[in-house]
Amino acid sequence: MTAPAPTRRSGRSAQQLGRRSVADTALDCAAVVALLSVAIVGFGPAFGGTGYLVAGFGALLLGLAIALLGARLRANILVLAAATLMVYMVFGGPLAVPTTTLFGVIPSLETIRALVLGVVFSWKDVLTLETPVGAFASVLIVPYLATLVASVLAFSFALRLRRAAWALLPAGVLFVVAIAFGTRDAAAPIVQGLVFAGIALAWWAWRRSQDRARRIAATTLDSASGAQAPDAGLARTRLALGAGLLVVALGVGLATGGLLAPVSAREVLRDAIVPPLDLHDYASPLVGFRKYVRDEKEDVLFTVKGLPDGARIRLATLDAYDGVVYNVAGDGTAGSGTFTRVSGDIPNDVTGDKATLDVTIGDLTGVWIPDAGYLEKFRFTGDRADELSGSLHYNRTTGVAITTTPLAKGDSYTMDVVIPKVLTEEQLESHSLQSLTMPKASGVPEDVAPLATTYIGDAERPLTQVRNIATSLSQEGFFSHGLEGEATSRAGHGAERIATLLGADQMIGDDEQYAVAMALMARSAGMPARVVMGFYPDEYAGADADQQITGDQLHAWVEVAFDDAGWVAFDPTPPEDQVPQEEAPKPKSDPKAQVLQPPPPPQEPADLPPDIRTDDTEQDDEPDSNAILTTVLIASGSLLALLIVLLTPVVVIGALKARRRKDRQNAERPADRLSGGWDEIVDRADDLGTPVGGRGVTRRADAAVLAEAWPALPVAEVAVRADNGVFGPGEPSQQEVDAFWAEVNDIVRGMHDSRGWWTRLRARVSLRAYIGRRLESRRRRRRARS
C-alpha cells in the first residue's frame, strides 16, 4: 500500500512543472488581445466614427476579466455563460446604446429593451443601413456582443486549455464576422490579414514549444532512468528557424497580396442583402397631383427657410412606367428604387452650391420628404425627431428622401444640401447624353414614338433633340387643371389619358400629362429621361426669409441625363395663360317629361392610395394597441432564444455523461462493468474538484485520496471489490455487478450531496474528467500503434 506514494509525489511535482507562470499567462493574454484588436479594427469601414472602438475594446476588457475570474475559480461553461449574459446587460448601455441610458451610464427600461431586441435585430440593421452605420441606435450591439463572446471564449481557451489552437478559433470567427458585416472597402485588408496571421502563427509556435518543454521536463522527473532535458541550443535553433520562416512568409504575402487579392474581390454579406423597404407599399405621388392643385391650392403644405433663388424642391423622382402610373422602380434594381436607411451624415460626391434649409411641415402628408439638390446632412427636429430618424431612407442617385413613418403637421427638419450648377444652353451644346440603363417602360401608347420622331425632326445634337420635344409640347398644347371655369382636362397619366392628349385636336392638360408625355417620347428616342414631381414658387422670398409652399406651386418636369452635366431639367408644360381658344360646342338640351326614377344603387367607396386623404376618409391616428404586446412578445422570444442557446451546452454535456455511464454499465465483459463503475466514482470526484493521483495509479491508491475527502463513504471497500472482480479468477456474476453498481450509485450520490450547490452545479457541466478520459484513450491508442 506504500508503493504508490512516490508516484503521487512525483505526479504532483510534474503537475507543478506543468503550471504556467505569471509571465507566460500575461504573454498569452497579450497575444489574444492583439488578435482580437486586429479583428475589432475590421468593423471600422462599416461603422465609422469611434463608437465601435469604444464598444469593441470595452467588450474585450470585460471578456478578459470574465475569463481571468473564471480560470481563477475554475468556473464551468454554465457559470461563464451566466456571467457573460449579466455583463452584457449591465455594461451594454454605456458601451453599445449610450443614448438610451440615464446620464450616459445608468441603464433604463429602453436600454434593456434595446439590448434584448438587439441580440436578434441589430445584425440585420447593420447589413441594411446606409454606411457608415455607427450613428444609428443599437447597431453598436454587433461589435459589442460579438467581441464580448469571442473574448470570453478566446481568453478562457488560452488560459485553461493546453492546445493554443482552440483560442485561435473564436478570434478567427470575430475576424470573419468583421469582414462579413463590413464593406468592400476594408480598413487595410492586406496588412490586417498578415498581422493577424503573423501573431497567430508566432503565438501558436511559442505555445507548442512551451508545452513540449514542460512535457519533457515532467517525463524526465518521473523517469527512473534520469533522462536529461533536451539541449537548450537545439530549442533556440528551432525557434530561430520558425521565426525566419514566419518572416519570409509574411514578406512574400505582403509583396504579392495586393496583386493577387484586389479589393474588388472582397465579398461581404451586405452585397447579398436587399434593403427591406418595399416601394410598392407606397403610391406614386404623381397620382395625387390634381388633388394638391385642386383641394390644397392655397393651403401651406410646408415652409422652407434658406431656399436659394431658382432652386427646385424635389418630392419624388420617377423613372418606371407600366401604362397605368409613372412610379419609382420598386424592385431596387434601378436607380430610383435603391433606397437605404441613412443617419445624419450622407456623404456624396456632387459638386455645386451648398445651402442649409430649415423645413416645417404644414398640410403636406405622406411618406415623401421635400428636399432640394442632394443631401449631405439631415436631422429631424421637433417632438417626433427620434421616431422619424429611425425611418429615414435616402436614394443617393435621385436625391429623394422617404420616411416609412408618414409626415404630420408640425414635423420639422434641417438639411445641408448641394445644389448642382445649372449649365446654360451654350454650355450644354457640346455635351452628349449619358449611357444609362433605365427601367423598361410598358404600356406606352402607339402615338408616342411617331410623334417624338416628328418633333425631333432633323436635329442632330442631343440638346436640340430634347429641346424640340419640350418646345413642341409647350407651344402646341394648352394648359388646364380641369377646375371650375377652366377647359375640360381629365386627371391621370395612364396610357389611355396620354393617348387622348396626343391624339386630340387640341392638347389640353397640366404638368402631370405633359411631363409624362415628354418623358415617354424621350425614352422612345433612346434618351435617359425621368419625371420629377416637386415644388418651386413663382417668386422667391430670398435665402433668409421663410418661403411658404402651397399646393398651387406643385409642378412636374422632366430631367434628361447629359455627360459631365448630370440631370438637366426641362419644362414641357404650356404657360398657364395658354388656354384653348375654342371649346367643343355644348349639346342642346332636350327636356323630357319628369318621370320618377328609382334611387341609384349604393356605390362602393373609392379605393384611394395610402397617401391621399379626403374629407370623408377616416384617419386612424390612434397608436397601435398591439404595439406593447408585440414588443413584449419579441423581447420574450429573444430572451427565450438566448436562454436556449445558453442551456444547449448544458443539455449536451448531460447527455454525453449519461451515455458514458450507460456504456460503462452495459459493457460486454462483467469485469469491464466493474472497472467502469470505479471510473464513474473517480470521474465524479474529479468533477467535484477532488482529482486523484493521475492516470495509471492503482485503485487502492486512489481510494486513499478519496477517503480523505469523503471519510464517511466506503470507497476503500469498493476499490477492493473492483480489483477482486477485475483481477480475480473467473468473471463476476451479474448479481455481483448489479450489487457493485448499487454501491457505486450510493457513493456517487453521497459525494454529490456532501458538497454545496455551487460545487454541484459546476460538477454537472464540467468536462474535465470527460476530456481527460478521451485524451487518455487517444494516447493509449497511439502507444498501441507504435
Side-chain angles (χ1 to χ4, degrees):
M1 295 297 297
T2 58
T7 306
R8 289 201 301 269
R9 286 194 298 270
S10 60
R12 287 195 295 270
S13 300
Q15 184 179 6
Q16 292 174 357
L17 287 174
R19 292 176 181 172
R20 302 182 60 77
S21 64
V22 176
D24 291 344
T25 301
L27 187 57
D28 289 339
C29 293
V32 176
V33 167
L35 292 172
L36 296 177
S37 299
V38 173
I40 293 173
V41 172
F43 288 105
F47 284 81
T50 59
Y52 78 97
L53 295 175
V54 175
F57 284 102
L60 188 151
L61 296 178
L62 293 173
L64 174 59
I66 294 173
L68 287 173
L69 188 61
R72 177 76 174 179
L73 302 177
R74 298 181 60 194
N76 53 53
I77 186 173
L78 180 61
V79 176
L80 288 178
T84 303
L85 177 60
M86 181 183 67
V87 168
Y88 169 77
M89 297 300 296
V90 172
F91 294 93
L95 293 178
V97 284
T99 57
T100 64
T101 59
L102 303 177
F103 310 107
V105 178
I106 303 174
S108 63
L109 292 178
E110 179 62 24
T111 303
I112 297 174
R113 178 180 179 274
L115 290 173
V116 172
L117 297 180
V119 174
V120 178
F121 298 108
S122 60
W123 310 88
K124 180 202 69 175
D125 291 339
V126 171
L127 295 178
T128 57
L129 294 174
E130 180 78 3
T131 56
V133 302
F136 289 95
S138 302
V139 294
L140 292 178
I141 290 177
V142 169
Y144 172 66
L145 178 59
T147 305
L148 180 62
V149 174
S151 59
V152 170
L153 293 176
F155 286 119
S156 297
F157 291 165
L159 296 174
R160 306 175 69 172
L161 298 182
R162 177 175 297 178
R163 296 184 181 274
W166 288 107
L168 299 178
L169 181 60
V173 170
L174 181 64
F175 186 81
V176 173
V177 168
I179 294 175
F181 285 83
T183 63
R184 283 181 172 267
D185 300 324
I190 300 174
V191 175
Q192 188 180 4
L194 291 177
V195 170
F196 187 90
I199 295 173
L201 290 175
W203 179 58
W204 183 50
W206 178 78
R207 278 291 301 263
R208 284 178 59 86
S209 66
Q210 292 291 313
D211 293 341
R212 186 182 299 110
R214 288 185 177 86
R215 288 197 301 270
I216 293 175
T219 304
T220 302
L221 183 62
D222 287 341
S223 176
S225 60
Q228 299 297 318
D231 185 18
L234 179 60
R236 287 193 296 268
T237 302
R238 290 177 177 176
L239 184 60
L241 180 61
L245 292 175
L246 178 61
V247 172
V248 172
L250 292 177
V252 173
L254 184 61
T256 61
L259 299 176
L260 300 180
V263 176
S264 59
R266 179 186 176 99
E267 297 293 336
V268 295
L269 291 177
R270 186 179 305 277
D271 297 335
I273 300 297
V274 178
L277 179 63
D278 186 2
L279 294 175
H280 291 295
D281 294 338
Y282 310 104
S284 169
L286 195 58
V287 174
F289 185 91
R290 193 66 63 88
K291 162 194 174 281
Y292 284 107
V293 299
R294 181 189 66 227
D295 300 336
E296 303 181 11
K297 180 178 181 179
E298 299 180 357
D299 295 342
V300 177
L301 301 179
F302 59 91
T303 302
V304 56
K305 182 179 180 180
L307 183 67
D309 292 345
R312 300 188 178 193
I313 299 175
R314 188 195 330 265
L315 190 65
T317 299
L318 315 169
D319 57 5
Y321 187 75
D322 59 2
V324 179
V325 63
Y326 227 114
N327 206 345
V328 174
D331 57 0
T333 59
S336 68
T338 52
F339 282 82
T340 52
R341 284 184 61 189
V342 293
S343 59
D345 295 329
I346 308 172
N348 63 62
D349 54 359
V350 180
T351 58
D353 298 327
K354 296 187 177 182
T356 299
L357 308 182
D358 297 318
V359 178
T360 301
I361 299 298
D363 294 328
L364 180 68
T365 57
V367 299
W368 306 90
I369 300 177
D371 63 14
Y374 294 88
L375 298 181
E376 280 191 330
K377 289 185 178 181
F378 193 101
R379 183 173 64 88
F380 280 105
T381 56
D383 297 336
R384 300 204 310 155
D386 294 337
E387 180 182 0
L388 292 170
S389 298
S391 62
L392 177 64
H393 293 71
Y394 185 66
N395 186 311
R396 291 185 179 182
T397 303
T398 62
V400 176
I402 191 173
T403 172
T404 55
T405 301
L407 295 173
K409 190 170 185 177
D411 292 337
S412 59
Y413 53 88
T414 299
M415 53 184 173
D416 294 342
V417 301
V418 178
I419 299 178
K421 292 184 177 296
V422 179
L423 301 182
T424 63
E425 291 194 12
E426 292 76 12
Q427 294 172 327
L428 283 173
E429 281 290 342
S430 59
H431 291 265
S432 60
L433 298 174
Q434 288 188 22
S435 179
L436 298 176
T437 301
M438 303 291 293
K440 184 178 180 180
S442 61
V444 180
E446 296 179 356
D447 295 340
V448 168
L451 191 56
T453 303
T454 301
Y455 286 166
I456 291 174
D458 297 332
E460 296 181 355
R461 292 181 180 274
L463 177 62
T464 305
Q465 295 177 350
V466 179
R467 281 294 183 197
N468 286 352
I469 297 176
T471 303
S472 298
L473 290 172
S474 177
Q475 292 180 353
E476 296 182 9
F478 298 93
F479 183 88
S480 174
H481 284 315
L483 306 180
E484 183 178 357
E486 298 181 355
T488 302
S489 173
R490 292 188 292 117
H493 55 274
E496 184 274 334
R497 178 67 180 93
I498 300 301
T500 301
L501 172 76
L502 301 179
D505 294 336
Q506 296 184 110
M507 291 189 295
I508 303 176
D510 55 13
D511 301 57
E512 178 184 2
Q513 291 80 41
Y514 285 106
V516 171
M518 177 183 172
L520 294 178
M521 289 182 180
R523 292 285 303 276
S524 69
M527 303 175 185
R530 63 193 189 186
V531 175
V532 180
M533 178 177 169
F535 305 86
Y536 56 85
D538 297 330
E539 296 181 1
Y540 287 82
D544 297 331
D546 290 336
Q547 184 84 54
Q548 292 185 339
I549 303 298
T550 63
D552 189 44
Q553 298 171 2
L554 178 66
H555 297 279
W557 60 90
V558 177
E559 290 183 346
V560 179
F562 286 82
D563 279 334
D564 301 325
W567 292 91
V568 180
F570 296 87
D571 295 294
T573 306
E576 293 189 11
D577 58 357
Q578 187 169 311
V579 296
Q581 300 301 320
E582 296 181 1
E583 292 198 40
K586 297 181 179 180
K588 295 182 179 180
S589 60
D590 184 12
K592 303 290 184 180
Q594 294 185 0
V595 179
L596 183 62
Q597 300 293 333
Q603 296 182 355
E604 296 291 335
D607 186 11
L608 297 177
D611 60 344
I612 300 179
R613 300 182 179 182
T614 67
D615 295 336
D616 298 330
T617 304
E618 293 184 2
Q619 306 298 333
D620 185 11
D621 295 331
E622 294 297 327
D624 187 2
S625 59
N626 294 327
I628 299 178
L629 178 60
T630 302
T631 302
V632 172
L633 291 177
I634 293 176
S636 301
S638 301
L639 282 176
L640 180 60
L642 185 60
L643 289 176
I644 291 175
V645 172
L646 294 176
L647 292 178
T648 297
V650 179
V651 176
V652 172
I653 293 173
L656 290 175
K657 290 185 177 182
R659 179 181 177 182
R660 180 188 61 183
R661 179 185 180 89
K662 183 177 180 180
D663 291 342
R664 288 171 173 175
Q665 200 166 2
N666 298 326
E668 183 176 358
R669 296 178 59 246
D672 292 338
R673 298 173 203 166
L674 297 182
S675 179
W678 177 255
D679 291 340
E680 191 72 20
I681 295 175
V682 172
D683 290 346
R684 180 56 60 93
D686 202 352
D687 291 340
L688 289 171
T690 306
V692 292
R695 310 303 176 189
V697 178
T698 64
R699 293 186 182 89
R700 300 189 182 188
D702 288 344
V705 176
L706 296 177
E708 295 179 1
W710 290 279
L713 300 178
V715 289
E717 292 81 352
V718 173
V720 172
R721 292 185 57 185
D723 282 343
N724 294 336
V726 173
F727 300 109
E731 292 285 350
S733 63
Q734 184 61 39
Q735 291 77 10
E736 293 176 340
V737 172
D738 293 340
F740 180 81
W741 267 95
E743 290 191 61
V744 169
N745 293 334
D746 292 338
I747 292 176
V748 168
R749 191 179 303 109
M751 295 166 60
H752 187 270
D753 294 341
S754 65
R755 295 294 187 256
W757 68 271
W758 180 255
T759 304
R760 297 199 302 269
L761 183 62
R762 290 173 47 189
R764 290 186 182 278
V765 294
S766 175
L767 287 174
R768 175 184 176 90
Y770 186 87
I771 296 176
R773 291 285 182 183
R774 297 295 296 270
L775 294 177
E776 180 185 4
S777 177
R778 187 179 303 175
R779 287 193 294 268
R780 287 178 179 176
R781 287 195 298 269
R782 281 201 299 263
R783 286 196 299 266
R785 286 195 299 267
S786 62

